Amino acid sequence: MSLTLTVDGERWRSHLRATAEAHPGLVPVCKGNGYGFTLGRLARRTQWLLDQDLAPTTADTIAVGTYAELSHVSSRYDGSLLVLTPWRPFGPAVDALADDRLARRLVHTVSRLEDLGDLLARRPDARFVLERSTSMQRHGLTARELWTAAEHLQGRGARLEGVALHLPLGQGTHVTEVDRLLNDVVGAGLPETGPTGGQGAHTIWVSHLTEEELATLRHRWPDFTFRPRIGTGLWLGDRGALRVTSTVLDVHPVERGDAFGYRGRTAPKSGHLLVVSGGTAHGIGLEAPSGDLGLKGRAGTLARGGLDALGFVRSPFSLDGKQRLFAEPPHMQASMLFVPSGSRVPVVGEQLDVRVRYTITAFDRVDVV
Ligand SMILES: *Cc1c(COP(=O)(O)O)cnc(C)c1O
């Protein structure tokens, strides 16, 4: 009855372990819909990684996206909790400071000078990373602001845990940009490891670097420690360990001209309507029209009387290895597919493979087998 994510547990765990081994100091990222697995499950998995005999800092910190996500993670994992959304002097970022036990585990991201002063005034013992802005232009301090931050921190014994860089998804190499940003860090004269009680400015928290880029940077900056934050490549890096299925809930034969669905659409030819589990509430959306969209391709499709030429849109549901067409746009929790006569007709209860974007899909069940 469900849209189910089935995980080959052994294969998934061995991928997680291999990724953690290849990335010493790994910070697993656990945010949003938990990459399809749920936040709670990823928090428990991160605890499992922490309990493995890996490099000393590997998985000693988990990264959540927002302060609101902390409650899903904090009781299932007992290491440090890095919040990726920068701290601001309002809302859940302020509420999180009230609980002493939680506050000791939190690592805030500070991306504006005024927030640095404000956070330390509220909690002088706050642990934090300073975010340096990158070509992403999302959040972060400029080179000049890093200087000012360093002056502000002088002699305060604040718990600086490092500098955070959020890099765009790989196009070309990031090494030149990181080199430039690290020169800014050195130039700013931020407190290094030692008296601050934190990991210090020579710990660099990074995203979206390849293994080769990390190796190059470690070689070029031997005094620095790089801590890769990884979500997608960790949790979803071995797609072969994952299978998404939907259940056939009903099958109706239709003749050409028969009306069906919310919009009273008529069947273009004889075949079957399938009602399958999975709809908009799960994140199932319309896909691009099937086939070749070029003029020549369209003409060919029309000549063959293709259903997509009649406005039918390809669905992410497959039957016998072939992606099937939506009979109409997906409903809240189910979808209607049209299978023309000549295709095999599935039985109620049969499972269909579904192609999804994991980061936007809410599964009814996650089965680790
Ligand atoms: C989401 C996020 C990551 C992880 O990104 P993936 O592409 O899922 O590996 C790393 N850093 C920051 C700041 C993020 O927001």
Side-chain angles (χ1 to χ4, degrees):
M1 307 302 259
S2 340
L3 187 72
T4 306
L5 168 60
T6 307
V7 183
D8 176 341
E10 206 172 299
R11 183 167 166 174
W12 190 51
R13 285 189 296 273
S14 76
H15 166 74
L16 300 181
R17 235 196 103 100
T19 307
E21 278 168 358
H23 295 92
L26 171 75
V27 181
V29 175
C30 179
K31 67 183 180 188
N33 69 341
Y35 293 81
F37 298 92
T38 73
L39 294 172
R41 181 172 280 101
L42 296 191
R44 284 194 299 271
R45 247 332 112 199
T46 304
Q47 183 66 46
W48 172 81
L49 278 174
L50 177 59
D51 294 339
Q52 307 281 303
D53 204 9
L54 298 167
T57 58
T58 298
D60 72 355
T61 305
I62 196 171
V64 297
T66 65
Y67 285 89
E69 289 168 350
L70 286 168
S71 62
H72 295 272
V73 170
S74 60
S75 60
R76 298 180 171 101
Y77 166 78
D78 59 26
S80 296
L81 307 160
L82 169 68
V83 184
L84 297 171
T85 300
W87 189 84
R88 292 288 183 263
F90 43 75
V94 168
D95 301 341
L97 304 179
D99 175 349
D100 271 331
R101 270 189 50 203
L102 181 67
R104 274 198 288 278
R105 296 170 62 199
L106 287 182
V107 179
H108 306 277
T109 297
V110 172
S111 71
R112 302 186 308 164
L113 285 174
E114 57 264 53
D115 294 333
L116 180 61
D118 197 328
L119 173 64
L120 292 179
R122 291 169 196 263
R123 262 213 105 105
D125 61 346
R127 301 165 62 197
F128 61 95
V129 293
L130 291 176
E131 180 153 359
R132 168 74 175 94
S133 59
T134 68
S135 57
M136 273 276 287
Q137 300 267 33
R138 192 158 79 174
H139 301 293
L141 303 162
T142 62
R144 177 179 290 270
E145 287 169 334
L146 271 191
W147 278 68
T148 312
E151 280 166 18
H152 186 81
L153 294 175
Q154 203 81 58
R156 286 185 70 142
R159 298 194 62 187
L160 176 65
E161 298 284 4
V163 174
L165 306 177
H166 190 33
L167 297 158
L169 289 164
Q171 317 124 357
T173 174
H174 294 102
V175 171
T176 323
E177 179 170 9
V178 176
D179 270 342
R180 191 169 48 73
L181 297 169
L182 292 189
N183 276 317
D184 296 343
V185 172
V186 172
L190 287 161
E192 291 171 29
T193 38
T196 61
Q199 295 168 64
H202 280 197
T203 296
I204 310 294
W205 306 66
V206 291
S207 61
H208 302 145
L209 293 176
T210 62
E211 278 172 49
E212 298 78 61
E213 288 172 328
L214 274 168
T216 305
L217 288 164
R218 286 185 166 123
H219 182 71
R220 279 154 89 124
W221 298 87
D223 302 344
F224 282 73
T225 302
F226 291 89
R227 308 227 33 194
R229 297 177 305 236
I230 308 179
T232 308
L234 178 66
W235 310 118
L236 299 172
D238 182 4
R239 297 295 163 103
L242 312 175
R243 183 172 179 217
V244 179
T245 51
S246 148
T247 314
V248 177
L249 300 174
D250 237 325
V251 179
H252 307 296
V254 284
E255 292 302 326
R256 179 192 163 110
D258 285 353
F260 65 86
Y262 279 127
R263 292 168 182 79
R265 195 168 194 182
T266 50
K269 48 169 144 172
S270 69
H272 288 82
L273 291 171
L274 311 185
V275 184
V276 302
S277 57
T280 54
H282 300 91
I284 298 286
L286 292 173
E287 299 242 317
S290 63
D292 180 353
L293 281 181
L295 263 186
K296 232 175 105 194
R298 279 197 95 92
T301 315
L302 280 168
R304 289 193 306 274
L307 290 165
D308 45 356
L310 297 165
F312 278 70
V313 168
R314 183 161 58 175
S315 85
F317 300 90
S318 296
L319 171 65
D320 297 333
K322 192 170 159 207
Q323 257 178 285
R324 300 298 165 161
L325 298 169
F326 277 123
E328 70 168 357
H331 304 167
M332 181 88 106
Q333 290 172 313
S335 294
M336 287 180 101
L337 311 179
F338 181 74
V339 178
S341 52
S343 295
R344 184 179 69 85
V345 182
V347 296
V348 169
E350 194 171 323
Q351 300 292 306
L352 302 185
D353 282 315
V354 196
R355 211 181 67 177
V356 298
R357 273 179 69 190
Y358 290 86
T359 50
I360 60 166
T361 306
F363 296 102
D364 296 309
R365 283 176 46 190
V366 180
D367 289 341
V368 182
V369 294

